[in-house]
Amino acid sequence: MKPIKYISIGFFILVLGSCKKFLEEKPTNFLSPGFTISNTKEARALANGCYSKMQGLAFGQPSSYGGNTWNLMEFMTGKSNSDLGQTGFINFQNLSYNTTSFYVDTWWQQLYMGIGACNLALQSLATVSSAVVPDSTKNNMLAEAHTMRALYYFYLVRMYGAVPMVTTVPKDLNLKVARTPAKNIYDSIILPDLLVAEASTLPWQDNTGLVSRSAIESILADVYLTYAGAAIKGGDQYYAESAKRSKAVITNGGYALFPNYTDMNNPANKNRGEFIFQVNYSASVPSTSTNTSILPLTALTIPNYSGISKYSDEYGSVYPTDQFIHSFLPTDKRIQERQFFYTKYPSIKTPDTVVFKAHYIYKWFDSVAVRNTAKSDLNYTVYRLADVYLMYAEASNRAEGSPNSDAVNYVNLIRARAQLAPIGTLSQTDFEHEVWLERYFELCFENKMWFDMLRTLKVHNDVTGNWDDFVGHKTVWGATFTNSQLLFPVPKQETDVNPNLLPNNPGF
Amino acid sequence: MRISFFIVLIFLCSIQLLSARDARGQDISKVFISLELRDEPLVAALDKIQKLTSFTFAYNKKELKRVSNLNLAFKGRSVHTILESLLQNTLLQYEQVGNTIVISYRRNGSYSPSPTRSWSGYITPYVPEIEVKVHTITGTVTNEKGDPLAGISVTVKGSANGTTTDAEGRFKLSVPDEGVKLEFSSVGYQTQTLSIGSQTSITVQLKEAAAGLNDVVVIGYGTAKKSDLTGAVASVKGERLTDRPVPNVTQALEGRIAGVEVNINSSAPGQPAKVRVRGIGSINSSLDPLYVVDGVTGVDINTLNPHEIASLEVLKDASSTAIYGARGANGVIMVTTKRGKRGDSRVTYDGDVNVSTLPRHLKTLNSDEFVKIYNLAYANGTKFDPLGGTWTPPVALNHASLPKLFDANDKPLYNTNWEKETYKPAYSHDHFINIQGGSDKSLYSASLGYLNQNGLMVNSWFKRYSAKLTLDNEVNNWLKFGGYISVIQSTQRMVSDGNGSLNVPRMVTEEVPIVPIKYPDGSWAGNNDIAGLEGGPNPVHISQSRYTLNNTLQALGDGYFTIHLTKDLDLKSDFGYYLSGQKNNFYSAQDLPHLSQDQGGQASINSYYNYFWQSENYLTWNKKINDRQKLTALLGASWQKYKQEWVDAEAQNFIDDNFQWTALQAGSVRSQTQSLANPAWQMNSYYARLTYNIDDKYLFTATGRYDGSSRFGENNKFAFFPSVGAAWRMSEEEFLKHSETISYMKLRGSYGFTGNTEIGYGQSLGQVSPGNVVLGGSNQSTLVPNYIGNKNLKWEKSQQADVGLELGLFKSRINMTVDYYNRTTKDLLLQAPIPWSAGMVQNNVYENVGSVRNTGLEVNLNTVNVKTRDFTWSTEFIFATNKNKIIKLNDGNADIFPGPNFLGQTNVLRVGQAIGSFYGMTRLGTYSTDEAADAATHNLKPGDRKYIYNKDGSPYYSIIGHAYPKWTGTFSSTINYKGWDFSFDIRFVQGVNTAATFKHSSEDRQTIANSLATVLNGWTPDHQNTMVSQVRNYKFAQDSHFDTWWVEDGSFIRGQNFTLGYTVPEVMVRKMKLTKVRVAASVQNLFLHTKYTGYDPEVDTFNTLYGTNTAFSQNLDFFSYPRPRVWNLGLTVGF
């Protein structure tokens, strides 16, 4: 018995010993932020990460039914209606939104998450040796990351004005970054990032949805136009810089206007033809809890519970006011049935045709999805050639003091597709108004109009046909724009955690 | 509050104390014994008499030495006769004082009877008497302290022959022959059976049963006598847990122990309950107590068969939990399962058969009402949006547009009551068989269980098979080994998934009554058949075509050996394991709109593989220093490792509903493939405990545990958790020892620290995580910053002080335990929000910030109101109150809105307030036509809901309710009459709110779904004084917000359980060759008294699963699985 007792005491002493290794954590389901890139695939994954929050431009709103970040810019214009109370439409219809309203928070979150991914890519890729990733590949990946970061910041400054400037992945918990004026963000991030990207050797067109030279130049054209515009008043010289970029896209990009508007509803045309830069989706890639792979706007724009589609949820989240429709020329092809809008459609259940009470948006009507699969295969467009044409027209007109022939031509190309007569010689102001109006009609419900209003501080009055001043414009809903509409409030959720962001924007 | 005091008062008054204490001793001439002396001294003779009778002798040894050794034999003689005989021819005399016989020198040196003496002290000359019958047995029954027990039933086993003890604990019983067995039983004491042999006089000591103070209770790494504890430990016996039909242990605990709050939040079969010990002590870390099953820590208690349990102890204060250090902060629940017993094999069968019925109803619109409201709602549209909208329904509810649903007169063809079609009476049964036995050296126990539980909701069920084997072996006088293995397999069919979606419970309310379950052609009907409705499938359809089968297989057990190293020192080494595999199969058919129609059918398999092992090694030193001082010491080391692996696969777009999850390859879209293999943690700990006992009066305990966890930052892996406790058993002091009133009194106090580590894996580390993005038509891999990490992450620490008083009055006829505690958790493991500008996918980080305090009072009062031979009546009242307060949050103490973020923010964490505070708007009613101008300032109209607004016109938000009650209590009573027993438990939960969030979708969304009947009370020009807004088509619905109209009074009084049982008399049982037969009929949830308008105020539809920890969804009701009333028949048979 004695030996066993000694053995057991020995065993006990053994278990009293400590073993540091036993308590180590060796994670394999994530990487630590300081990881070393081991191959090109890993580098590519970092670059791809920059695109992951592009879907934030059309992202579902928590706690809402039929709510999507995209709704916000359309609700704000006063030219939209909604079938659903749970989209929070009324708060935007009567301009009573506040720091806790829908979308204001989600936009902020999505954009900064996108910036976080870009910062990680930029700082990780910067350190990779050319033996692992060739410099040329690396530089183009960096160009993609710079472009995406600039794009995310571009949305941020237009929406919220002064915002925290974050350019690295934070290493500690000192996260209460104060706001940097919008102009400084343009000067220290948006413009430098895009100018670096512009110098890359990326192709002029990319049909897989990655950043191309054309995408970079389109964004840059938009940025300069906005920088020169009312919000920043950076200087008239930037109209020329803008026109230079849009011209480059038109000249080198190899894009052409689609002959038919419905070509935009054809999944085969994704990332090509007229489409310069899009948020990519795919019907063949299933959505998961963490990754939306299918464009939500198709179901979102079908009239609420109209019973015309395979979709269980037909939302009718956003549709145009009658006044906006009536502001088009009656002959404009874009308001004809099943061009940009539709007013009736066969029922999915009965032989009848369902006639809607109003015009509904047809821009993301993927008929295969609607009638069969309930899975839209369309992308959401950020920049397309028509936009670039009109940016060129506007910028060159400002830069040169009058419209040049190219500018007039581009406007007429867009009018021709709408089966409208070409414009003749117009004054600088009249031409500008024509361009602005064309932007309203051509780019409606593509989240452009609100930014145009902020950039120009003018609003087209659908009832009077006048160009109202932004401040003081009364919407068809009876609400009046004030200075409070110039910037969205920084969401309360964010100011609660980072009080350095206060005071909030005027009016909030 | 008033109710409880009232009840206490009633039963305090009703206690009838037995008086009649007889000062006289037993008559020595009437106590008969047999005695044989072979050359033995007188001292030995007296000793023998003392052993055989209840008499004690008082004498001076020196005086007795003078008497020469004796050679005598007595058979069936009275003590009187024997004493006379023994003292004959000596100078000694005897005198009886009570039950004590004093032997002394005769004072006058001569022998003469004294007429002045009392009757019991007289001395008579030795007179030979006739032999009395040997089969009269007399005796005394005492408790463990030796105090006589009155009213104990004494029966001859197997016969109706019996008696009860008198006030002195004495009894006298004639028995037919020698060798019978006597059974001693009484409420509050363990029944004892004794073979009498040839004895005619016996003394029996009875041990107190469950509520007794001298019970041995299980504590961390050992056992202790309850009276020796310095900490707050509550104990429940297994029989008590299973006296009503319960499928799992957590449900069985409801209302049993003060300070242990159990919420049965879902009544889906197989769903566990939520258990919280002494309030909510954490925000983002686990709130579940630590479960220790036969020494194995961290077991998922709910998979155990409750019948396996022999006893369950809850360690509540720091003195008792600190031995579990880092995992003890939420209390520790120790479960001891049944093990072998010495003696013949005993087989016990327990069976239950029951039926569940729906006790409450949630009234919805019937067909006529629905049509009326639908048309009215559209008609009202012109008022609410004169400019914009649709004032006629897309489909008129008439024969022309819906010939399948309306007759030629436009009357609805159907009027389906979906509640009735979905919640149907369900039959369940439960069987358990156990064999226990063993020899001197080895003990075994084996059991098998089967549960088949069917839920109220059609097609929901749970089946469980369990088996367990235990073995304990004594190899020799220094080595013992043993162990157990338990295997459990269960399958749960869940049909009520997806809170917030159009799931079964929601569609019971929202499916319109004008559609049938199926059309005459056999096809399913649903809201989808009517354009303009939110087309949810009908609930019966969903329950058949959408389900999750949760399969669980687990093995649990340990192996141990104990070595007796020295007289006082033992070494125990225990290796425990807990393995579990889970495979959850899900399918949702192609024809379910809103659920899986868009996906073309959806199937998934979700599989887990978990393992846990622990090695516990400890030395126990039990040292009796001297008669007055005892010391026990414990020193141990522990190693633990847990690992989980998980895989999830999903497919969509099936060619046929036949395939389902059994052939994922039949789905053309592989939508999900994910795996995770890392959630693992290790712990390495050292622990020690010292207890010191002086005179059984002064008790001290010191405990410490040094815990190391892999889950914390490099520099903070280890932490130390000490505690001290002291108790003073005042009833052992001279001034109380002989008190007639106070039979037991102990004052105790403790203070110490425990911790909480239950956070996810890798939370101290910054994380870059893989993901996907669609580019070029396919998924591409991404790497994005996911989590910022916190290198300084450390332990969450709770400091708890506890003061307790244990009191037994009137020979423990009244027992009371009162505890006050103050538990403050500091360095909270808080998922503190970080700015989104940090760019992380997770916008929060685990930080040690903030602190929460729980203070509370627990009272447990047991009384035996009546106790006679045939009739006993006892009551128990359990009362607990807990006050929770957030002391500090993250920097700046900003409010935190913790979710669940459905229907906006419903809960707030705010300094100075309690966790579980509801946050919302205040609804004043509806705007009347006179208030049109006021309404217009908020863009509203008469008939719209009226809220309180801030000065700037923004809605006023404030704390509008509390999800956790002010106090809870259980009032129980048991009445025994002969073989009959009747008991009941009534549970009180008071001062709490439950949010009927389902009102959002069933009161504010007319025209797209069916509504609650309350919309009939909606605003109309003639009926303006109402909380419910005017009906209107959904498009113009006023945006719903979480408000005071939803947050209702959730207080309730529930008839938890009523049981009537009958135990067949032994004599009949013996004839059947059985050892025990008991039948019982019971009903659970017999009544529910509440103002709450939903099915049940005890609810949490957001968080029904075990292990998910949010404290914030408690009492949020978004269409719950209703709690049934259960009618049960139970049978227990012993072989």
mmCIF file of all heavy atoms in Angstrom, chain B residues 530-560:
data_model
loop_
_atom_site.group_PDB
_atom_site.id
_atom_site.type_symbol
_atom_site.label_atom_id
_atom_site.label_comp_id
_atom_site.label_asym_id
_atom_site.label_seq_id
_atom_site.Cartn_x
_atom_site.Cartn_y
_atom_site.Cartn_z
ATOM 1 N N ILE B 530 -55.372 36.318 -50.665
ATOM 2 C CA ILE B 530 -56.102 37.575 -50.800
ATOM 3 C C ILE B 530 -55.080 38.676 -51.044
ATOM 4 O O ILE B 530 -54.263 38.983 -50.177
ATOM 5 C CB ILE B 530 -56.918 37.867 -49.517
ATOM 6 C CG1 ILE B 530 -57.876 36.708 -49.247
ATOM 7 C CG2 ILE B 530 -57.668 39.187 -49.645
ATOM 8 C CD1 ILE B 530 -58.408 36.669 -47.844
ATOM 9 N N ALA B 531 -55.111 39.251 -52.264
ATOM 10 C CA ALA B 531 -54.138 40.292 -52.597
ATOM 11 C C ALA B 531 -54.299 41.454 -51.635
ATOM 12 O O ALA B 531 -55.406 41.794 -51.221
ATOM 13 C CB ALA B 531 -54.336 40.752 -54.033
ATOM 14 N N GLY B 532 -53.192 42.046 -51.283
ATOM 15 C CA GLY B 532 -53.240 43.170 -50.352
ATOM 16 C C GLY B 532 -52.936 42.752 -48.927
ATOM 17 O O GLY B 532 -52.598 43.581 -48.103
ATOM 18 N N LEU B 533 -53.049 41.457 -48.649
ATOM 19 C CA LEU B 533 -52.703 40.990 -47.299
ATOM 20 C C LEU B 533 -51.224 40.610 -47.266
ATOM 21 O O LEU B 533 -50.659 40.186 -48.269
ATOM 22 C CB LEU B 533 -53.518 39.753 -46.912
ATOM 23 C CG LEU B 533 -55.021 39.893 -46.713
ATOM 24 C CD1 LEU B 533 -55.565 38.624 -46.082
ATOM 25 C CD2 LEU B 533 -55.354 41.079 -45.836
ATOM 26 N N GLU B 534 -50.638 40.783 -46.084
ATOM 27 C CA GLU B 534 -49.291 40.266 -45.875
ATOM 28 C C GLU B 534 -49.454 38.752 -45.804
ATOM 29 O O GLU B 534 -50.006 38.246 -44.841
ATOM 30 C CB GLU B 534 -48.729 40.805 -44.565
ATOM 31 C CG GLU B 534 -47.314 40.403 -44.291
ATOM 32 C CD GLU B 534 -46.806 40.997 -42.986
ATOM 33 O OE1 GLU B 534 -47.444 40.779 -41.935
ATOM 34 O OE2 GLU B 534 -45.787 41.667 -43.006
ATOM 35 N N GLY B 535 -49.023 38.064 -46.830
ATOM 36 C CA GLY B 535 -49.503 36.703 -47.066
ATOM 37 C C GLY B 535 -48.897 35.592 -46.246
ATOM 38 O O GLY B 535 -48.353 34.633 -46.784
ATOM 39 N N GLY B 536 -48.992 35.667 -44.953
ATOM 40 C CA GLY B 536 -48.450 34.571 -44.144
ATOM 41 C C GLY B 536 -49.250 33.295 -44.313
ATOM 42 O O GLY B 536 -50.472 33.334 -44.406
ATOM 43 N N PRO B 537 -48.568 32.157 -44.361
ATOM 44 C CA PRO B 537 -49.276 30.878 -44.443
ATOM 45 C C PRO B 537 -50.016 30.615 -43.136
ATOM 46 O O PRO B 537 -49.665 31.177 -42.101
ATOM 47 C CB PRO B 537 -48.171 29.847 -44.639
ATOM 48 C CG PRO B 537 -46.896 30.575 -44.700
ATOM 49 C CD PRO B 537 -47.112 31.980 -44.263
ATOM 50 N N ASN B 538 -51.010 29.765 -43.182
ATOM 51 C CA ASN B 538 -51.747 29.520 -41.949
ATOM 52 C C ASN B 538 -50.919 28.675 -40.968
ATOM 53 O O ASN B 538 -50.036 27.917 -41.377
ATOM 54 C CB ASN B 538 -53.148 28.955 -42.240
ATOM 55 C CG ASN B 538 -53.170 27.471 -42.503
ATOM 56 O OD1 ASN B 538 -52.727 26.680 -41.679
ATOM 57 N ND2 ASN B 538 -53.692 27.079 -43.663
ATOM 58 N N PRO B 539 -51.165 28.838 -39.682
ATOM 59 C CA PRO B 539 -50.277 28.238 -38.677
ATOM 60 C C PRO B 539 -50.232 26.710 -38.729
ATOM 61 O O PRO B 539 -49.184 26.111 -38.437
ATOM 62 C CB PRO B 539 -50.845 28.740 -37.345
ATOM 63 C CG PRO B 539 -52.205 29.265 -37.629
ATOM 64 C CD PRO B 539 -52.205 29.690 -39.057
ATOM 65 N N VAL B 540 -51.357 26.104 -39.105
ATOM 66 C CA VAL B 540 -51.345 24.634 -39.178
ATOM 67 C C VAL B 540 -50.447 24.188 -40.333
ATOM 68 O O VAL B 540 -49.668 23.238 -40.216
ATOM 69 C CB VAL B 540 -52.786 24.097 -39.351
ATOM 70 C CG1 VAL B 540 -52.775 22.587 -39.475
ATOM 71 C CG2 VAL B 540 -53.666 24.547 -38.193
ATOM 72 N N HIS B 541 -50.524 24.926 -41.407
ATOM 73 C CA HIS B 541 -49.674 24.665 -42.562
ATOM 74 C C HIS B 541 -48.186 24.798 -42.188
ATOM 75 O O HIS B 541 -47.369 23.922 -42.472
ATOM 76 C CB HIS B 541 -50.053 25.650 -43.674
ATOM 77 C CG HIS B 541 -49.323 25.433 -44.963
ATOM 78 N ND1 HIS B 541 -49.370 26.318 -46.009
ATOM 79 C CD2 HIS B 541 -48.519 24.434 -45.377
ATOM 80 C CE1 HIS B 541 -48.631 25.871 -47.000
ATOM 81 N NE2 HIS B 541 -48.096 24.729 -46.649
ATOM 82 N N ILE B 542 -47.857 25.891 -41.501
ATOM 83 C CA ILE B 542 -46.451 26.096 -41.109
ATOM 84 C C ILE B 542 -45.986 24.960 -40.200
ATOM 85 O O ILE B 542 -44.901 24.410 -40.378
ATOM 86 C CB ILE B 542 -46.240 27.439 -40.376
ATOM 87 C CG1 ILE B 542 -46.759 28.601 -41.212
ATOM 88 C CG2 ILE B 542 -44.768 27.652 -40.058
ATOM 89 C CD1 ILE B 542 -46.745 29.943 -40.461
ATOM 90 N N SER B 543 -46.848 24.602 -39.253
ATOM 91 C CA SER B 543 -46.407 23.589 -38.279
ATOM 92 C C SER B 543 -46.131 22.251 -38.952
ATOM 93 O O SER B 543 -45.355 21.447 -38.445
ATOM 94 C CB SER B 543 -47.447 23.436 -37.165
ATOM 95 O OG SER B 543 -48.526 22.639 -37.603
ATOM 96 N N GLN B 544 -46.763 22.016 -40.081
ATOM 97 C CA GLN B 544 -46.496 20.761 -40.784
ATOM 98 C C GLN B 544 -45.303 20.863 -41.725
ATOM 99 O O GLN B 544 -44.577 19.902 -41.918
ATOM 100 C CB GLN B 544 -47.728 20.347 -41.605
ATOM 101 C CG GLN B 544 -48.834 19.819 -40.745
ATOM 102 C CD GLN B 544 -49.774 18.909 -41.505
ATOM 103 O OE1 GLN B 544 -49.503 18.493 -42.629
ATOM 104 N NE2 GLN B 544 -50.887 18.583 -40.887
ATOM 105 N N SER B 545 -45.134 22.035 -42.316
ATOM 106 C CA SER B 545 -44.179 22.126 -43.417
ATOM 107 C C SER B 545 -42.885 22.845 -43.064
ATOM 108 O O SER B 545 -42.032 23.010 -43.920
ATOM 109 C CB SER B 545 -44.837 22.848 -44.594
ATOM 110 O OG SER B 545 -46.016 22.189 -44.965
ATOM 111 N N ARG B 546 -42.762 23.288 -41.841
ATOM 112 C CA ARG B 546 -41.537 23.973 -41.440
ATOM 113 C C ARG B 546 -41.195 23.522 -40.032
ATOM 114 O O ARG B 546 -42.017 23.656 -39.130
ATOM 115 C CB ARG B 546 -41.750 25.482 -41.469
ATOM 116 C CG ARG B 546 -40.544 26.300 -41.042
ATOM 117 C CD ARG B 546 -40.911 27.775 -41.027
ATOM 118 N NE ARG B 546 -39.845 28.610 -40.500
ATOM 119 C CZ ARG B 546 -38.885 29.170 -41.241
ATOM 120 N NH1 ARG B 546 -38.860 28.986 -42.540
ATOM 121 N NH2 ARG B 546 -37.960 29.923 -40.676
ATOM 122 N N TYR B 547 -40.023 22.983 -39.838
ATOM 123 C CA TYR B 547 -39.689 22.448 -38.530
ATOM 124 C C TYR B 547 -38.189 22.340 -38.364
ATOM 125 O O TYR B 547 -37.441 22.324 -39.343
ATOM 126 C CB TYR B 547 -40.318 21.050 -38.359
ATOM 127 C CG TYR B 547 -39.754 20.045 -39.329
ATOM 128 C CD1 TYR B 547 -38.675 19.234 -38.973
ATOM 129 C CD2 TYR B 547 -40.270 19.933 -40.614
ATOM 130 C CE1 TYR B 547 -38.141 18.341 -39.879
ATOM 131 C CE2 TYR B 547 -39.736 19.041 -41.516
ATOM 132 C CZ TYR B 547 -38.668 18.245 -41.143
ATOM 133 O OH TYR B 547 -38.118 17.377 -42.048
ATOM 134 N N THR B 548 -37.780 22.249 -37.136
ATOM 135 C CA THR B 548 -36.389 21.930 -36.834
ATOM 136 C C THR B 548 -36.400 20.685 -35.955
ATOM 137 O O THR B 548 -37.153 20.608 -34.988
ATOM 138 C CB THR B 548 -35.709 23.067 -36.055
ATOM 139 O OG1 THR B 548 -35.960 24.288 -36.738
ATOM 140 C CG2 THR B 548 -34.225 22.837 -35.959
ATOM 141 N N LEU B 549 -35.596 19.718 -36.344
ATOM 142 C CA LEU B 549 -35.423 18.524 -35.508
ATOM 143 C C LEU B 549 -34.081 18.656 -34.811
ATOM 144 O O LEU B 549 -33.041 18.580 -35.455
ATOM 145 C CB LEU B 549 -35.395 17.265 -36.373
ATOM 146 C CG LEU B 549 -36.714 16.625 -36.784
ATOM 147 C CD1 LEU B 549 -36.416 15.368 -37.577
ATOM 148 C CD2 LEU B 549 -37.584 16.298 -35.584
ATOM 149 N N ASN B 550 -34.125 18.891 -33.537
ATOM 150 C CA ASN B 550 -32.879 19.024 -32.784
ATOM 151 C C ASN B 550 -32.527 17.682 -32.152
ATOM 152 O O ASN B 550 -33.196 17.228 -31.233
ATOM 153 C CB ASN B 550 -33.036 20.082 -31.699
ATOM 154 C CG ASN B 550 -33.228 21.465 -32.274
ATOM 155 O OD1 ASN B 550 -32.592 21.820 -33.268
ATOM 156 N ND2 ASN B 550 -34.115 22.233 -31.678
ATOM 157 N N ASN B 551 -31.485 17.073 -32.662
ATOM 158 C CA ASN B 551 -31.035 15.785 -32.119
ATOM 159 C C ASN B 551 -29.829 16.017 -31.231
ATOM 160 O O ASN B 551 -28.868 16.642 -31.659
ATOM 161 C CB ASN B 551 -30.600 14.860 -33.246
ATOM 162 C CG ASN B 551 -31.765 14.477 -34.115
ATOM 163 O OD1 ASN B 551 -32.693 13.823 -33.673
ATOM 164 N ND2 ASN B 551 -31.726 14.924 -35.362
ATOM 165 N N THR B 552 -29.898 15.506 -30.048
ATOM 166 C CA THR B 552 -28.768 15.665 -29.137
ATOM 167 C C THR B 552 -28.368 14.309 -28.582
ATOM 168 O O THR B 552 -29.224 13.498 -28.226
ATOM 169 C CB THR B 552 -29.151 16.591 -27.959
ATOM 170 O OG1 THR B 552 -29.663 17.794 -28.500
ATOM 171 C CG2 THR B 552 -27.972 16.888 -27.078
ATOM 172 N N LEU B 553 -27.097 14.079 -28.556
ATOM 173 C CA LEU B 553 -26.585 12.853 -27.956
ATOM 174 C C LEU B 553 -25.471 13.268 -27.019
ATOM 175 O O LEU B 553 -24.558 13.988 -27.431
ATOM 176 C CB LEU B 553 -26.038 11.931 -29.048
ATOM 177 C CG LEU B 553 -25.483 10.592 -28.582
ATOM 178 C CD1 LEU B 553 -26.564 9.757 -27.914
ATOM 179 C CD2 LEU B 553 -24.893 9.835 -29.753
ATOM 180 N N GLN B 554 -25.573 12.857 -25.780
ATOM 181 C CA GLN B 554 -24.500 13.265 -24.893
ATOM 182 C C GLN B 554 -24.128 12.204 -23.883
ATOM 183 O O GLN B 554 -24.947 11.371 -23.496
ATOM 184 C CB GLN B 554 -24.844 14.569 -24.201
ATOM 185 C CG GLN B 554 -26.040 14.470 -23.284
ATOM 186 C CD GLN B 554 -26.163 15.723 -22.439
ATOM 187 O OE1 GLN B 554 -25.538 16.724 -22.730
ATOM 188 N NE2 GLN B 554 -26.938 15.651 -21.394
ATOM 189 N N ALA B 555 -22.887 12.243 -23.527
ATOM 190 C CA ALA B 555 -22.370 11.317 -22.521
ATOM 191 C C ALA B 555 -21.725 12.158 -21.437
ATOM 192 O O ALA B 555 -21.038 13.135 -21.711
ATOM 193 C CB ALA B 555 -21.340 10.391 -23.138
ATOM 194 N N LEU B 556 -22.004 11.756 -20.220
ATOM 195 C CA LEU B 556 -21.558 12.547 -19.089
ATOM 196 C C LEU B 556 -21.120 11.561 -18.025
ATOM 197 O O LEU B 556 -21.763 10.526 -17.843
ATOM 198 C CB LEU B 556 -22.750 13.375 -18.609
ATOM 199 C CG LEU B 556 -22.742 14.028 -17.259
ATOM 200 C CD1 LEU B 556 -21.730 15.148 -17.246
ATOM 201 C CD2 LEU B 556 -24.120 14.583 -16.950
ATOM 202 N N GLY B 557 -20.048 11.830 -17.359
ATOM 203 C CA GLY B 557 -19.677 10.914 -16.303
ATOM 204 C C GLY B 557 -18.346 11.261 -15.682
ATOM 205 O O GLY B 557 -17.743 12.285 -15.996
ATOM 206 N N ASP B 558 -17.914 10.402 -14.802
ATOM 207 C CA ASP B 558 -16.596 10.595 -14.217
ATOM 208 C C ASP B 558 -16.068 9.278 -13.692
ATOM 209 O O ASP B 558 -16.775 8.272 -13.651
ATOM 210 C CB ASP B 558 -16.638 11.642 -13.090
ATOM 211 C CG ASP B 558 -17.174 11.094 -11.768
ATOM 212 O OD1 ASP B 558 -17.915 10.093 -11.805
ATOM 213 O OD2 ASP B 558 -16.863 11.673 -10.718
ATOM 214 N N GLY B 559 -14.812 9.293 -13.355
ATOM 215 C CA GLY B 559 -14.186 8.164 -12.696
ATOM 216 C C GLY B 559 -13.343 8.750 -11.589
ATOM 217 O O GLY B 559 -12.710 9.775 -11.767
ATOM 218 N N TYR B 560 -13.373 8.122 -10.427
ATOM 219 C CA TYR B 560 -12.621 8.708 -9.320
ATOM 220 C C TYR B 560 -11.958 7.612 -8.499
ATOM 221 O O TYR B 560 -12.342 6.447 -8.558
ATOM 222 C CB TYR B 560 -13.544 9.528 -8.414
ATOM 223 C CG TYR B 560 -14.479 8.675 -7.588
ATOM 224 C CD1 TYR B 560 -14.076 8.181 -6.332
ATOM 225 C CD2 TYR B 560 -15.737 8.328 -8.061
ATOM 226 C CE1 TYR B 560 -14.919 7.369 -5.584
ATOM 227 C CE2 TYR B 560 -16.578 7.528 -7.319
ATOM 228 C CZ TYR B 560 -16.165 7.040 -6.077
ATOM 229 O OH TYR B 560 -16.990 6.237 -5.351
#
